[in-house]
């Protein structure tokens, strides 16, 4: 993918890993009243269905208003084409008596015209109605079905994940067979893809396909380990720590990182323009999810969702997919996520058991009540204020005696490890190495873990990263 140039022509053949598949959406095109401009917007399946019904109702009302006058005008136009015998019959004082005086041939002419006259009027009226609707800008609408996929190029070489090797694939008017093939975690061979001239908002190459695009699933799918090397990560509901950190680091751009997350509902309420949903998990970190509802009063799916959320009892588990994380809210001391076009609410899953256990047995109930009270009176939650999370590969460990730097720390038994602190050298995904000091815990469990790793390092002349990873995996 990194070799594809925007607008540089079609891609004859490529193998892609389907990393994320987003919900089906529609592009709606409507005319702006009073202008020749047509406006486009993205709709969900329910919104598209709701708009189609509303437009059909508007068309029916417009037709009812003009149909009688159109039919009268069409009848006059059709009668101009009628044979003279029919005109004389209809204009006489007694049509039936006049009809009886006609010859058999002329009677047949009149009868044939009477038979087809109504059909001609209806056909002309239908054409006039269609013409009227086409010229009425407010009654114009078209919609195109599409589904998007976040993809990465498949390679069986042992390469590190690279964002430049990813793209956004859009499939227009997908068939059921295509949707059956394009599943997350699958490697698909696609032919003759179109490359759009511009990148998407996430600065990714845009590829497009349609219902006739040739695609085939690999007969022998690679292992999950091989997919990981290409950058694929299976979906899972992340703890709120991750969206919290992403919100803290957010640059302020309109495009945020997407997360699948869940937690315990603390509070939900409706403002004039949006719904606000607050959730909490074991980390005691708060996430506020905002969903714009302005102008969507007639959408049944949004009304149903609002009723469902507002009717959910605080403390119940709620889960969301594809929530877009944006800038941190310092006033409420919480991460902020936006409900995007591709966001969905999911049913309970195995994460529910962990959250329910924390809520009922480990102080979760008290924490939810405390945060809800703070939100009600307008004070920020008391989550962490200043901290940094480092995650990456452990590339080195040093052992330092604590008695040299902290004389007040005395061992209360013969556990030698409690008198030592550990300095971990951690390399993150950007290649920067951090030094993290790990103090001994009360029971020595953490110290014992790192001591095992330290012994492995001490007996190795030059420690290779994969050897350390294997040792850590055993300890895990």
């Amino acid at each position: 993918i990194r070799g594809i140039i925007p607008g540089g022509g079609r891609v004859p053949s490529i193998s892609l890993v389907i990393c994320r598949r987003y919900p089906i959406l529609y592009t709606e095109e409507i005319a702006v009243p009073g202008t020749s401009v047509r406006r486009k917007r993205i709709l969900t399946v329910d919104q598209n269905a709701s708009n189609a019904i509303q437009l059909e109702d508007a068309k029916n009302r417009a037709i009812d208003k003009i149909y009688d006058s159109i039919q009268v005008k069409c009848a006059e136009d059709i009668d101009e084409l009628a044979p003279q015998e029919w005109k004389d019959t209809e204009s006489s004082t007694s049509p039936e008596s006049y009809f009886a005086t006609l010859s058999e041939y002329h009677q047949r002419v009149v009868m044939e015209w009477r038979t087809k006259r109504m059909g001609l009027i209806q056909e002309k009226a239908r054409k006039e109605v269609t013409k009227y609707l086409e010229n009425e800008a407010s009654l114009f609408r078209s919609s195109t079905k599409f589904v998007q996929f976040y993809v990465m190029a498949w390679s069986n070489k042992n390469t590190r994940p690279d964002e430049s090797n990813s793209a956004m694939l859009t499939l227009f008017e997908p068939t059921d067979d295509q949707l059956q093939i394009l599943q997350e975690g699958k490697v698909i061979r696609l032919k003759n893809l179109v490359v759009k001239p511009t990148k998407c908002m996430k600065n990714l190459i845009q590829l497009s396909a349609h219902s006739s695009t040739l695609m085939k699933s690999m007969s022998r799918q690679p292992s999950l380990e091989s997919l990981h090397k290409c950058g694929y990560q299976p979906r899972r509901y992340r703890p709120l720590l991750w969206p919290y950190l992403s919100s803290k680091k957010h640059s302020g751009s309109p495009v945020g990182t997407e997360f699948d997350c869940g937690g315990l509902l603390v509070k939900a309420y409706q403002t004039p323009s949006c719904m606000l949903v607050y959730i909490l998990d074991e980390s005691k970190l708060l996430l506020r999810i905002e969903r714009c509802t302005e102008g969507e009063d007639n959408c049944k799916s949004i009304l149903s969702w609002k009723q469902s959320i507002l009717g959910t009892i605080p403390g119940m588990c709620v889960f969301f997919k594809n929530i877009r994380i944006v800038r941190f809210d310092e006033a409420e001391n919480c991460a902020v996520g936006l409900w995007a076009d591709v966001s969905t609410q999911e049913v309970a899953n195995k994460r529910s058991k962990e959250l329910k256990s924390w809520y009922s047995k480990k102080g979760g109930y008290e924490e939810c009540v405390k945060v809800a009270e703070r939100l009600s009176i307008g004070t920020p939650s008391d989550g962490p204020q200043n901290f940094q999370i480092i995650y990456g590969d452990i590339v080195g460990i040093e052992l330092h005696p604590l008695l040299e730097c902290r004389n007040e720390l005395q061992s209360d038994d013969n556990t030698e490890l409690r008198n030592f602190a550990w300095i971990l050298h951690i390399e993150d995904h950007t290649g920067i190495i951090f030094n993290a000091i790990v103090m001994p815990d009360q029971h020595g469990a953490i110290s014992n873990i790192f001591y095992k790793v330290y012994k492995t390092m001490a007996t190795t002349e030059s420690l290779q990263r994969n050897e350390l990873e294997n040792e850590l995996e055993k300890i895990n």
Side-chain angles (χ1 to χ4, degrees):
I1 290 178
R2 66 173 68 91
I4 298 175
I5 300 174
R10 293 177 179 263
V11 180
S13 183
I14 190 170
S15 294
L16 300 174
V17 182
I18 308 298
C19 298
R20 290 291 180 269
R21 170 175 156 174
Y22 295 104
I24 293 174
L25 297 173
Y26 286 83
T27 301
E28 181 188 58
E29 186 176 345
I30 58 176
V32 178
T35 69
S36 59
V37 178
R38 292 183 176 179
R39 184 183 64 190
K40 289 185 177 181
R41 60 176 178 171
I42 305 299
L43 302 177
T44 64
V45 174
D46 290 333
Q47 288 172 331
N48 180 68
S50 176
N51 285 9
I53 292 172
Q54 291 178 33
L55 182 67
E56 196 62 32
D57 290 342
K59 285 183 177 180
N60 290 335
R61 289 193 298 271
I63 292 171
D64 291 341
K65 187 182 296 185
I66 65 170
Y67 190 76
D68 290 342
S69 60
I70 284 180
Q71 195 170 35
V72 171
K73 179 66 171 60
C74 291
E76 292 175 356
D77 294 341
I78 292 297
D79 290 346
E80 289 294 326
L81 304 175
Q84 189 61 43
E85 293 83 359
W86 180 86
K87 292 180 181 179
D88 294 340
T89 302
E90 294 300 316
S91 62
S92 65
T93 55
S94 176
E96 292 302 324
S97 300
Y98 184 83
F99 178 78
T101 64
L102 295 175
S103 66
E104 184 177 345
Y105 169 77
H106 289 152
Q107 285 183 352
R108 188 162 59 249
V109 170
V110 172
M111 291 298 295
E112 288 176 356
W113 180 255
R114 284 179 176 176
T115 302
K116 67 179 183 180
R117 176 178 177 272
M118 188 52 65
L120 293 172
I121 293 174
Q122 291 177 350
E123 179 64 20
K124 186 172 180 61
R126 186 186 63 79
K127 291 180 179 179
E128 290 296 322
V129 167
T130 302
K131 184 178 178 180
Y132 168 80
L133 294 177
E134 289 175 351
N135 294 330
E136 190 66 27
S138 62
L139 299 177
F140 170 82
R141 178 184 182 271
S142 67
S143 65
T144 304
K145 180 180 178 182
F146 72 95
V147 60
Q148 289 190 307
F149 305 85
Y150 174 65
V151 297
M152 302 193 81
W154 160 247
S155 173
N156 52 12
K157 297 179 181 179
N158 189 10
T159 57
R160 298 186 70 175
D162 185 0
E163 281 292 326
S164 66
N165 213 23
S166 59
M168 190 65 70
L169 170 66
T170 304
L171 176 59
F172 293 98
E173 299 295 350
T175 65
D176 292 340
D177 291 339
Q178 288 176 328
L179 294 177
Q180 186 66 29
I181 292 173
L182 296 167
Q183 299 289 338
E184 291 183 5
K186 299 294 184 182
V187 179
I188 312 297
R189 189 76 174 175
L190 298 103
K191 295 185 178 181
N192 203 26
L193 293 178
V194 177
V195 183
K196 294 186 178 181
T198 58
K199 291 187 176 183
C200 65
M201 291 180 64
K202 296 180 181 180
N203 200 31
L204 296 174
I205 290 288
Q206 295 190 86
L207 305 174
S208 64
H210 46 78
S211 57
S212 60
T213 299
L214 296 177
M215 57 185 69
K216 184 179 180 182
S217 178
M218 287 182 60
S219 56
R220 187 174 181 180
Q221 289 290 323
S223 65
L224 188 58
E225 181 182 359
S226 299
L227 293 175
H228 282 167
K229 292 176 181 177
C230 286
Y232 169 72
Q233 294 292 335
R235 279 191 185 271
R236 63 188 180 94
Y237 290 97
R238 286 180 172 271
L240 296 186
L241 169 66
W242 302 107
Y244 192 93
L245 292 175
S246 179
S247 189
K248 276 275 190 182
K249 297 176 181 178
H250 195 266
S251 62
S253 70
V255 181
T257 306
E258 291 175 354
F259 284 95
D260 300 341
C261 51
L264 299 174
L265 181 68
V266 175
K267 184 178 181 180
Y269 66 92
Q270 171 78 55
T271 71
S273 60
C274 67
M275 275 283 294
L276 301 179
V277 180
Y278 295 82
I279 61 174
L280 190 74
D281 70 359
E282 305 95 326
S283 64
K284 300 182 181 179
L285 301 176
L286 190 64
L287 172 64
R288 183 180 78 228
I289 297 174
E290 302 177 359
R291 181 174 185 178
C292 178
T293 57
E294 190 173 9
E296 301 291 351
D297 297 333
N298 295 323
C299 183
K300 292 182 180 179
S301 64
I302 292 183
L303 290 174
S304 175
W305 182 81
K306 288 196 296 187
Q307 292 171 359
S308 172
I309 286 292
L310 293 173
T312 302
I313 302 172
M316 296 294 288
C317 299
V318 288
F319 297 92
F320 304 94
K321 277 186 178 180
N322 307 319
I323 295 298
R324 185 174 297 161
I325 303 302
V326 293
R327 188 187 291 277
F328 193 83
D329 186 342
E330 299 290 348
E332 288 191 332
N333 191 31
C334 70
V336 181
L338 298 183
W339 181 286
D341 295 324
V342 294
S343 302
T344 56
Q345 184 177 352
E346 302 298 315
V347 296
N349 56 75
K350 60 182 180 181
R351 175 95 171 98
S352 300
K353 186 176 180 181
E354 301 169 359
L355 290 169
K356 289 177 180 178
S357 175
W358 175 67
Y359 181 77
S360 59
K361 301 176 182 178
K362 302 176 183 179
Y365 170 77
E366 291 78 7
E367 189 66 27
C368 288
V369 171
K370 182 170 67 173
V371 172
E373 289 175 350
R374 286 179 175 270
L375 291 173
S376 298
I377 61 177
T379 58
S381 67
D382 58 350
Q385 298 287 342
N386 298 308
F387 68 96
Q388 187 175 8
I389 302 296
I390 307 298
Y391 60 97
D393 299 316
I394 299 177
V395 295
I397 298 181
E398 297 179 29
L399 185 64
H400 281 254
L402 285 171
L403 296 180
E404 292 182 7
C405 55
R406 290 181 59 189
N407 293 325
E408 72 276 13
L409 178 64
Q410 298 294 330
S411 175
D412 56 358
D413 57 19
N414 295 324
T415 305
E416 180 184 0
L417 294 177
R418 294 193 184 182
N419 297 327
F420 292 87
W422 308 87
I423 296 182
L424 308 182
H425 305 291
I426 302 173
E427 181 180 357
D428 72 357
H429 67 286
T430 65
I432 298 176
I433 296 180
F434 297 84
N435 295 325
I437 300 176
V438 181
M439 303 299 290
D441 58 317
Q442 182 179 359
H443 302 291
I446 293 177
S447 298
N448 278 306
I449 289 176
F450 289 119
Y451 183 61
K452 292 178 182 178
V453 181
Y454 180 74
K455 282 181 63 179
T456 303
M457 296 177 65
T459 57
T460 307
E461 231 175 79
S462 61
L463 180 70
Q464 299 297 321
R465 179 181 296 185
N466 60 343
E467 294 175 355
L468 180 56
E469 289 176 349
N470 292 338
E471 185 62 26
L472 285 171
E473 185 64 29
K474 291 177 186 176
I475 294 171
N476 236 8

